[in-house]
Amino acid sequence: MKFLKLVKWNIPPMKIIQSTLIMACFTLAACAQKHDTVALGKAYFNGFGCKQCHSVGHDGKLYGPDLTYVGFRKNRQWLELWLKNPHSWKNNTPMPNFHFPDEVRSALVDYLSSLKGQDFKGSPPWNEAAFSQEPIKRGEVIFSRAGCVGCHGIKGVGGYPNNNVVANKIPSLTLVADGYSKEELMERIAKGKRPDKTDPSGPAPMIEMPAWGAVLKTDEIEALAEYLFSLRPPKAAGEEW
Ligand code: HEC
Ligand code: HEC
């Protein structure tokens, strides 16, 4: 996986960069307007080098999930928890623990929560001409850049954690072709779903399937459905549909 290569160089230099940046960021915090925590969070985001692994809009890298829609798909409570210690949620993640002071983390959460797609400025990468005749490829780009990948994994293989749900995992999507018609699948993506609790008296699952119809157009959801159907591994001889 592309992500993993980074772990090697990341950890030791990250410590040094981190302490330098914490100094710079505190100065910045002192100068920043008290109430504009979104702008402050954005400055931290740039200052801590999050863009070495993530992108927002057309700016940054894609070693980790694109964050342009992260404020739409992930709630504040989960973002808090993730930034506090990514490994407590997903023990094998290559994302470093930055050990943020509370006020830095809180400004970052304000910034991340504000990201609901506006940074694509009306021209998301999947609308490039190269994809206009290729719905499956277009769907793949939407899957990555709208951030399905942040919950369902690369190529929808699954394995990402959730709490108080079956197997404590967000489902894999490689076999949806077996269970859904195209219309049903599009409806499922558009409407989202709050997962059922396995223990009814336990806490609500922190991760929900967002209702993508609020931010994606019908043709985009259709391209996603085409892409998900294409993930079905070839049938073994004699296997029933
Ligand atoms: C070394 C690369 C790396 C760096 C640096 C990094 N991240 Fe991440 N981040 C990841 C990876 C990879 C994931 C996806 C989780 C996984 O697959 O293990 C992730 C996941 C996330 C998520 C959840 C994304 C989603 O789709 O739900 C958020 C939010 C996030 N990172 C924020 C940040 C912020 C803020 C910074 C800077 C302070 C940062 N990351 C720095 C690699 C990185
Ligand atoms: C914030 C995390 C999150 C993101 C991002 C996300 N999903 Fe989901 N998705 C879930 C969860 C949780 C479920 C399980 C819901 C349930 O219990 O029914 C789910 C279920 C699904 C299902 C039904 C799977 C099945 O086995 O019936 C489909 C299809 C799906 N997601 C597609 C997508 C697509 C396409 C995207 C991107 C546009 C996406 N998801 C983004 C969390 C997410």
Side-chain angles (χ1 to χ4, degrees):
M1 213 161 59
K2 251 199 283 180
F3 295 164
L4 295 174
K5 285 200 199 119
L6 283 167
V7 188
K8 290 199 183 66
W9 61 259
N10 216 304
I11 303 307
M14 189 57 91
K15 284 277 175 235
I16 305 163
I17 301 171
Q18 214 172 304
S19 35
T20 325
L21 280 169
I22 286 183
M23 306 282 289
C25 289
F26 278 144
T27 325
L28 192 73
C31 321
Q33 284 190 343
K34 250 191 175 166
H35 299 294
D36 198 354
T37 53
V38 170
L40 182 60
K42 182 176 181 173
Y44 287 135
F45 188 85
N46 293 332
F48 279 104
C50 309
K51 282 197 273 188
Q52 292 299 317
C53 290
H54 293 287
S55 78
V56 175
H58 299 282
D59 185 20
K61 299 206 175 135
L62 292 169
Y63 292 109
D66 186 312
L67 299 179
T68 311
Y69 281 93
V70 76
F72 170 72
R73 60 180 184 256
K74 292 277 168 85
N75 61 39
R76 294 186 63 95
Q77 192 196 5
W78 182 86
L79 288 169
E80 263 293 320
L81 185 150
W82 180 254
L83 292 186
K84 203 166 202 168
N85 181 0
H87 304 99
S88 72
W89 183 259
K90 185 171 186 285
N91 59 14
N92 62 350
T93 184
M95 168 137 163
N97 184 345
F98 288 82
H99 301 282
F100 293 119
D102 288 352
E103 60 280 18
V104 173
R105 192 176 60 249
S106 147
L108 277 166
V109 170
D110 286 347
Y111 170 59
L112 294 170
S113 301
S114 79
L115 299 176
K116 299 191 172 170
Q118 67 276 23
D119 287 73
F120 281 146
K121 300 186 169 54
S123 55
W126 55 84
N127 282 354
E128 284 168 18
F131 306 117
S132 64
Q133 304 301 319
E134 310 241 27
I136 294 180
K137 283 202 178 129
R138 184 166 184 252
E140 184 172 16
V141 179
I142 304 173
F143 191 84
S144 156
R145 305 298 297 269
C148 315
V149 71
C151 287
H152 293 290
I154 291 173
K155 296 190 190 294
V157 294
Y160 279 60
N162 203 358
N163 61 299
N164 202 11
V165 297
V166 177
N168 288 319
K169 293 278 189 288
I170 300 171
S172 136
L173 301 178
T174 53
L175 297 179
V176 291
D178 297 359
Y180 291 90
S181 70
K182 186 161 147 187
E183 289 68 32
E184 287 164 348
L185 187 56
M186 287 176 65
E187 187 174 323
R188 185 77 154 84
I189 298 168
K191 291 198 171 152
K193 190 170 176 284
R194 180 172 299 180
D196 299 327
K197 298 180 184 183
T198 40
D199 169 8
S201 60
M206 290 186 78
I207 305 277
E208 295 179 8
M209 168 66 179
W212 289 96
V215 293
L216 296 177
K217 302 191 182 92
T218 306
D219 65 292
E220 294 169 330
I221 293 177
E222 187 172 2
L224 279 166
E226 298 284 4
Y227 171 63
L228 294 185
F229 282 158
S230 79
L231 297 175
R232 177 67 169 89
K235 292 279 172 188
E239 192 184 350
E240 299 285 330
W241 276 100

